[in-house]
Amino acid sequence: MHVPEPVMSLAVHPKKKDNLDNFLKALNRFQREDPTFVVKHNTESEEIIISGMGELHLFVYCERMKREYGIDL
């Protein structure tokens, strides 16, 4: 199966540090569900970078984190 390369990336982090565990669980789940959704950790800036097929694609995952996991970004 051909999986296209991501075309857009975004640095994300939870507003509250208490939500970090659920945030990482959500990212892990979304990455398993969707091969076009990619998560990377930038060691230089200590940022978590999500990448996907466009602005709407990433927006949907950010909204799912809010709705399904109660995480504000």
Side-chain angles (χ1 to χ4, degrees):
M1 179 169 87
H2 172 71
V3 178
E5 292 293 317
V7 296
M8 184 175 181
S9 298
L10 179 68
V12 293
H13 60 87
K15 286 186 179 178
K16 296 179 184 177
K17 296 294 179 190
D18 300 353
N19 291 335
L20 188 59
D21 284 340
N22 280 341
F23 174 70
L24 295 174
K25 285 179 189 176
L27 291 177
N28 201 9
R29 174 181 165 203
F30 299 157
Q31 198 169 16
R32 281 193 321 264
E33 291 176 356
D34 182 355
T36 64
F37 181 76
V38 179
V39 178
K40 294 182 182 175
H41 181 256
N42 184 325
T43 54
E44 283 184 23
S45 64
E46 293 298 319
E47 292 179 318
I48 295 176
I49 311 294
I50 59 173
S51 302
M53 301 313 297
E55 186 177 352
L56 180 61
H57 188 218
L58 298 179
F59 177 76
V60 167
Y61 281 108
C62 291
E63 287 299 310
R64 281 186 66 190
M65 274 190 246
K66 289 178 188 173
R67 187 178 64 246
E68 294 175 24
Y69 291 87
I71 300 169
D72 285 324
L73 302 176

